[in-house]
Amino acid sequence: MAEGRLVVRGGTLVDETGERTGDLLLGDEGTILAAGEDLDVPAGATVLDAGGCIVAPGLVDLHTHLRQPGNEEAETVETGCRAAALGGYTAVVAMPNTDPPIDCAAVVREVLDLGATAACEVAVAGAITKGRRGEQLAPLGEMADLGVRLFTDDGAGVQDNRLMRRALEYASALGVTLAQHCEDEALAAGGHMHEGEWSSRLGIPGVPSDAEELMVLRDIALARRTGGRVHFLHLSTAGAIEAVRAAKAAGLTVTAEAAPHHFTLSHALVASYDPLYKVNPPLRTDDDITAVKAGLADGTIDAIATDHAPHPPEAKEAPFDQAPPGMLGLETALALALTELDLPVRDVLGLLSWRPARIAGLHRHGGPLTEGAPANVCVIDPAATWTVDPAALASRSRNTPYAGRTLTGRVRHTVLHGEAVVVDGEAQR
Amino acid sequence: MKHLLSIADLGTDGIEEVLHLTDSFVEVSARPIPKVPALRGKTVVSLFYEDSTRTRLSFETAAKRLSADTMTFTVGSSSVNKGESLRDTVETLRAMGADAFVVRHGSAGVPWQVAAWSAGASVVNGGDGWHEHPTQALLDCYTVRRARAERGLDPALAGLRVAIVGDVKHSRVARSNVLAFAALGAEVTLVAPPTLLPPDLTGWPVEVSHDLDTTLAKCDVVYLLRMQLERQHEALVPSLREYTARYGLTSGRARLLADDALVLHPGPMNRGVEIAGDVATHPNAVITQQVANGVAVRMAVLFLLLGAGGDLGG
């Protein structure tokens, strides 16, 4: 019989099945040996204090740029996963826009190998097209055989209508999901922020909302025709969310995510001209922020995903229109969701854990916290307040737009496959 | 005042102060030796990442007439081609003793970034992307006032009807002028095809017209913007020919103007496109006065930033 290695004691267990007070006994084979009140602590076991805390299944990020291989000055699998663990994540999906891109089995294997010793589990999203160039299908089957369940050309959307149709048809036989970065390049060309009141005033070329919405509508039409599964990455506009709401009401199996910056930050912040506020899709209007929150509340949007996009400081000191888009997210997403969303804690955890786990096909994550289930757990102090300090982040980069912001809710411990990888807010790997 | 980045930084009182001070520097410029020691020992750096000989020479002439030392940093003669970052360049020039940076850059917002890294030196926005060109707006306001006074008209801009015509969308001149004219109480109308207007004018103190003829007949000032030749390749106008037919100040259309209406243009002009050659030389076209006043306005701005409290001398 497995030895009890860790006891998570004195918290409130929250998972998809409900909430109850109780302890967890976690075994060294990576499973939950027991869940219940006042469990005995076996000799030699470590106790993780969860007093006053929420004990939840580990969080799952559908959208992480780990930057390796190729851009290790921004992030590595090791540093990105450390940041993830500190943020409560036990699994992240690594985006394929690396250099070389993750568009064949060899690169999938490389990233999976790098992730094997990291502080959270690394799943990989493969590219839909070779080189993410939008011209020819990448070997989806070869990557699916290695366990890849999500495919995306993220950073760009698949522009060609026929190619996207073929990709969906081909993917449907593999049982995998195509995740789209919805951006019509002809409409978005040259834009660096949301097109609207602020872009007009600031003299920065804009990206219209239509650039996102047209591709969402196209992919809904193609999903209906092909039966292929589509996941919409980082939805940011009211119109796109409304389109997904209607598609779901019509019975289509589409899913969607939104990033924390799209429910917390508006395009007015670009008035500082600080490229920290440059991101793709861009920060939008207050109405869009309201729509993202409503979409998260009513289930139209299935998951909160970080779009964690590290860039080294010098890249973000360029002129606004020359700086790369992207923001850090792994270490702030949970606290932002708890602080800014007017939702019950269990709903927030659903958006961050079990629902994205299902979309990614990560069956060892997302709970429930019951005997025999995988021991991937995070312990959250919901009352802890903290101020975001870029220098204190574990990411190799510093490009958070939340410096100085005080947030409520902090990860105390994270347990990956039965091993404590974060203890009292300190990374152990 | 530490920097001049946007007309919005000045407000109505600040604009009035600059225009008032400009009178003194117009007087200085008319002297046999047009030079005062106000900024002796100060160093003004022109940091120009975009070709603009006119604006750069205007600022440098202004600085020299105030006895400042000048340094010029332009793309092509600099280490920008070796990949030096904007921040490193600013910090290097500051270490050499720059007291003020006049910044021209093709990207909106760069003067704000330079101000963040300038370690106490002043920054003047000499034009940033499509965004702003505040000294152009100040010299335009000054030119209107002075030209009206010379014609025996009320020089105040309050209540004047100003039409800004052309490619507002891509124009830093238009953005600064809308703010400046409106701050001084003028009624501003933008005249352009919808493709050459900013996509969202929420909060802009302007009216919009697509009919130049009607607007011309009832304006006191018509301000023509430069029409860039490449706009016809971006599907923003079908052709320059059609643009001129609908939005150019042709000789025939100029007859619609009131006798005392003024014609301004920031230069350089595309004669025959946004303005007919004979309109540009009409007595009420004050385009060369704009250039002349530009030096005095920039003297006033540099003096306010670097020498306020100093002595104008003589």
Side-chain angles (χ1 to χ4, degrees), chain B residues 16 19 141-142 144-150 152-162 181 184-187 220-221 262:
Chain B
E16 293 284 3
L19 300 187
C141 291
Y142 186 82
V144 170
R145 271 199 193 181
R146 195 169 173 92
R148 284 179 62 84
E150 285 166 2
L153 303 165
D154 177 2
L157 270 79
L160 283 194
R161 294 161 303 178
V162 178
F181 284 134
L184 295 177
E187 296 166 14
D220 303 297
V221 175
L262 299 171

Side-chain angles (χ1 to χ4, degrees), chain B residues 93-118:
Chain B
L93 292 168
R94 177 64 179 142
M96 289 178 193
D99 296 296
F101 292 97
V102 177
V103 182
R104 163 66 68 100
H105 201 288
S107 300
V110 166
W112 277 257
Q113 293 174 297
V114 172
W117 301 322
S118 68

Side-chain angles (χ1 to χ4, degrees), chain A residues 108-313:
Chain A
V108 171
R109 272 194 210 99
E110 180 187 351
V111 176
L112 291 177
D113 286 351
L114 288 166
T117 54
C120 75
E121 185 168 331
V122 176
V124 167
I128 296 172
T129 68
K130 284 183 187 163
R132 299 175 49 254
R133 284 190 295 272
E135 293 164 0
Q136 261 187 299
L137 284 184
L140 306 185
E142 158 188 315
M143 292 188 274
D145 287 345
L146 295 175
V148 176
R149 286 292 167 268
L150 279 177
F151 291 87
T152 177
D153 279 359
D154 182 56
V158 177
Q159 301 296 310
D160 185 281
N161 298 336
R162 189 172 72 150
L163 180 60
M164 189 61 197
R165 174 190 167 170
R166 297 295 184 231
L168 279 166
E169 286 172 343
Y170 192 80
S172 64
L174 301 171
V176 299
T177 299
L178 300 192
Q180 190 75 280
H181 166 113
C182 290
E183 180 181 13
D184 180 286
E185 286 173 6
L187 278 174
H192 298 282
M193 68 176 293
H194 173 67
E195 179 183 294
E197 179 183 347
W198 281 99
S199 71
S200 297
R201 214 174 285 176
L202 297 172
I204 294 176
V207 178
S209 301
D210 320 74
E212 177 168 319
E213 290 159 16
L214 283 180
M215 193 168 281
V216 169
L217 290 167
R218 179 201 69 175
D219 285 352
I220 288 169
L222 292 176
R224 184 181 293 121
R225 166 164 298 279
T226 61
R229 277 209 303 270
V230 177
H231 173 70
F232 293 112
L233 301 169
H234 46 47
L235 289 187
S236 68
T237 79
I241 293 161
E242 188 50 45
V244 170
R245 184 175 288 123
K248 287 188 167 189
L252 287 179
T253 54
V254 295
T255 54
E257 66 180 41
H261 44 267
H262 287 129
F263 62 77
T264 55
L265 306 175
S266 107
H267 61 157
L269 288 162
V270 180
S272 65
Y273 288 105
D274 189 335
L276 282 178
Y277 298 111
K278 182 171 179 178
V279 65
N280 188 15
L283 302 181
R284 306 272 188 190
T285 68
D286 290 343
D287 286 347
D288 294 312
I289 290 172
T290 303
V292 171
K293 288 181 174 175
L296 290 165
D298 74 5
T300 301
I301 301 171
D302 303 86
I304 295 168
T306 65
D307 196 4
H308 178 84
H311 291 290

